[in-house]
Amino acid sequence: MTEKRAQFATRLGVIATTVGSAVGLGNIWRFPYEAGVHGGGAFLLIDLFFIFIIGVPVVCAEFIIGRHTGANVRGAFKMLAPGKPWGIVSYLGILASILILSFYSVVAGWTLEYIGQSLSDFSGIHSPEGLHRQFDIFAQSNWRPAMWTVIFLLCNYLILSRGVQKGIEKMSNIMMPMLFVILIAFSINSLTMPSAAEGLSFLFKPDFSKVTPSVLIGGMGQAFFSLSLGLGCLITYSSYFKRETPLVKTAFITAGLDTLVALLAGIIIFPAVFTFGEEPAAGPKLVFEILPSIFSNLPGGMIWSTLFFVLLFLASLTSTISMSEISIAYFQEEFGMSRRKATWLNIGIAMVLGIICALSFGMLSDFTICGLTVFNLFDYLSSNILLPVGGLIISIFVGWVLDRAVVQRELVTVNPGRATIICVRLIVFCLRYLAPLCIAAVFIFGLGLF
Ligand code: PHE
């Protein structure tokens, strides 16, 4: 290691950056689309269970590993369990981060296209059917989605090569609060729509007859994806935390805000889906078809729409920066690469794979593996398999293998109150028993291994 490791400057910086990683397309694009495909309410319930009961403790586990070692994912396991197979989780995490970066950049690229379309007032097209066609024409044009993917990744390069603190922290502090405000405004607007009640009941009323194995797998995957959990992203970020950062509190705040944003997105999208007579199970393009229809019905729609897609683009950036940081820290610290070189390597691989994902909606739409396009395959494999497997290994490692004194020292603040002590006990219980059992159970039933 050559350079001194960076640290986040302020407490707000820690929260904003961790939330910045968690909040992104996962909440605003992926949550409504997955909830739509998987029937709404029951999916939400499974997602919430995995976020708060399983997710929060596993977030704490990643924080413990990261801050205790102050290293990248690979380095952390080398330090804690040298020569043992636990370190495999770091390779799975690096693989997942690159797969996610590839397909995520495609959707982030769509937001860039939609900033342009908003500025041109969607070429005067305002009917839902016209806006659908617009999306299809764009996605099937091949070169445009590919170009935006590349441009988005270049934006990542610019921020990442400037280092941790300056680039990431400043941006998160300004834009996260703005995003919240605008989401609240749009959800109030959706609540006044004619079919608001129908939309809300789709989202919030669980119909347990709809709980199929794929809903279980999907709900678990969404929780991990949305929390940026199971791939070492939070290990890497918490390696930059200071000693005073309260880990449990940070985990809860992150999960709470992350969930709030997803719920707001659902409250914005589903009333509109039913009001415009659309299909909730439209898949990845759902949000990009519905939002323009919402905006075009608002006074000053063009301005709202532009502002929204700019913020969504920025929210995607804070997430992709965090997933890139995993492999960049790894390349830098394990291979002694310069930051610039490590960043190029990461972004370069994602560009190649990202272009293939972008073409999955056009010329490669018939090219499928196990019935999935490359885009869907990368998403399924990373979110539904790699991240939960990573979470499983991390929870067992911190629950059973890591020295209990380390766990205590990292989780417990100075002079802990009764509530803190109970909370820490619950977290340890969850890491030892509940998390491994629940994740394994979903795999067994969900993938039909049983
Ligand atoms: N949690 C991010 C989102 O919801 C996506 C992400 C996944 C970020 C994995 C980092 C690592 O958009």
Side-chain angles (χ1 to χ4, degrees):
M1 226 188 298
T2 47
E3 302 150 54
K4 182 177 177 296
R5 287 191 114 246
Q7 277 195 337
F8 290 123
T10 60
R11 180 75 172 279
L12 179 67
V14 167
I15 301 276
T17 327
T18 314
V19 175
S21 165
V23 172
L25 294 170
N27 313 64
I28 295 167
W29 159 74
R30 200 176 186 281
F31 171 75
Y33 122 53
E34 285 278 321
V37 170
H38 291 117
F43 172 86
L44 173 63
L45 214 62
I46 294 163
D47 181 30
L48 289 179
F49 172 82
F50 271 96
I51 287 185
F52 287 100
I53 311 295
I54 309 297
V56 168
V58 185
V59 169
C60 291
E62 286 208 21
F63 283 171
I64 294 170
I65 297 176
R67 186 169 64 186
H68 175 66
T69 57
N72 67 80
V73 253
R74 182 74 201 103
F77 281 93
K78 263 195 195 161
M79 234 180 260
L80 295 176
K84 304 259 170 58
W86 295 103
I88 195 163
V89 75
S90 34
Y91 296 117
L92 294 179
I94 291 164
L95 174 66
S97 76
I98 289 177
L99 293 181
I100 295 176
L101 182 61
S102 309
F103 76 81
Y104 202 96
S105 298
V106 173
V107 185
W110 296 352
T111 67
L112 288 172
E113 162 79 15
Y114 271 66
I115 293 173
Q117 293 211 11
S118 307
L119 286 171
S120 71
D121 197 20
F122 294 93
S123 320
I125 297 172
H126 294 261
S127 67
E129 308 76 48
L131 290 164
H132 281 198
R133 227 181 4 258
Q134 194 108 320
F135 180 87
D136 290 335
I137 292 172
F138 159 65
Q140 287 159 14
S141 74
N142 296 316
W143 69 272
R144 254 181 29 227
M147 172 191 78
W148 287 125
T149 307
V150 170
I151 292 178
F152 177 76
L153 284 164
L154 288 176
C155 297
N156 277 267
Y157 175 78
L158 287 180
I159 296 166
L160 283 162
S161 54
R162 291 175 57 195
V164 181
Q165 195 159 344
K166 277 183 289 172
I168 310 175
E169 198 165 325
K170 264 193 209 136
M171 208 175 59
S172 308
N173 287 349
I174 314 166
M175 42 121 339
M176 295 319 289
M178 250 173 101
L179 185 65
F180 271 119
V181 174
I182 194 167
L183 286 175
I184 290 174
F186 285 145
S187 45
I188 294 172
N189 170 59
S190 281
L191 290 175
T192 64
M193 289 185 176
S195 298
E198 208 181 328
L200 294 182
S201 116
F202 177 83
L203 180 60
F204 290 110
K205 221 158 135 209
D207 172 357
F208 291 104
S209 67
K210 286 198 187 134
V211 181
T212 57
S214 87
V215 174
L216 279 174
I217 289 271
M220 176 169 78
Q222 174 60 23
F224 276 86
F225 185 87
S226 191
L227 289 173
S228 313
L229 188 56
L231 71 171
C233 179
L234 301 175
I235 295 182
T236 309
Y237 261 20
S238 56
S239 72
Y240 305 119
F241 284 5
K242 291 194 174 147
R243 268 248 49 90
E244 306 84 63
T245 309
L247 299 187
V248 181
K249 202 160 145 196
T250 307
F252 270 110
I253 293 177
T254 307
L257 292 178
D258 187 55
T259 305
L260 190 63
V261 174
L263 290 178
L264 287 174
I267 294 173
I268 295 171
I269 296 292
F270 289 110
V273 167
F274 289 96
T275 301
F276 300 135
E278 307 268 356
E279 187 41 60
K285 58 185 182 175
L286 176 74
V287 170
F288 285 83
E289 289 181 342
I290 300 292
L291 284 173
S293 304
I294 299 180
F295 299 141
S296 61
N297 281 309
L298 285 176
M302 194 179 134
I303 300 169
W304 285 113
S305 178
T306 311
L307 183 63
F308 180 84
F309 284 112
V310 168
L311 287 174
L312 189 54
F313 159 70
L314 292 174
S316 323
L317 258 183
T318 51
S319 298
T320 46
I321 284 169
S322 74
M323 59 188 96
S324 303
E325 196 61 39
I326 303 174
S327 43
I328 294 175
Y330 167 69
F331 293 145
Q332 264 184 294
E333 289 172 12
E334 300 301 311
F335 295 99
M337 278 187 203
S338 69
R339 177 139 187 118
R340 194 170 279 270
K341 219 172 178 179
T343 310
W344 263 126
L345 186 57
N346 169 266
I347 298 291
I349 299 172
M351 264 184 202
V352 176
L353 296 177
I355 291 174
I356 299 175
C357 290
L359 299 179
S360 301
F361 293 88
M363 60 194 277
L364 294 182
S365 60
D366 291 331
F367 176 72
T368 56
I369 299 167
C370 303
L372 298 171
T373 62
V374 177
F375 180 98
N376 288 331
L377 181 74
F378 280 15
D379 186 359
Y380 190 90
L381 200 65
S382 52
S383 317
N384 294 355
I385 312 283
L386 290 174
L387 302 191
V389 167
L392 179 72
I393 299 176
I394 289 168
S395 58
I396 296 177
F397 180 74
V398 173
W400 294 95
V401 181
L402 192 63
D403 185 356
R404 186 59 68 82
V406 171
V407 177
Q408 289 282 350
R409 197 169 55 235
E410 292 296 335
L411 286 186
V412 178
T413 41
V414 223
N415 298 327
R418 235 185 104 68
T420 318
I421 295 177
I422 294 178
C423 189
V424 169
R425 281 214 189 116
L426 283 174
I427 287 174
V428 172
F429 171 79
C430 180
L431 290 176
R432 291 180 77 117
Y433 304 101
L434 207 55
L437 284 178
C438 289
I439 299 172
V442 170
F443 274 135
I444 290 170
F445 293 112
L447 296 179
L449 302 178
F450 187 54

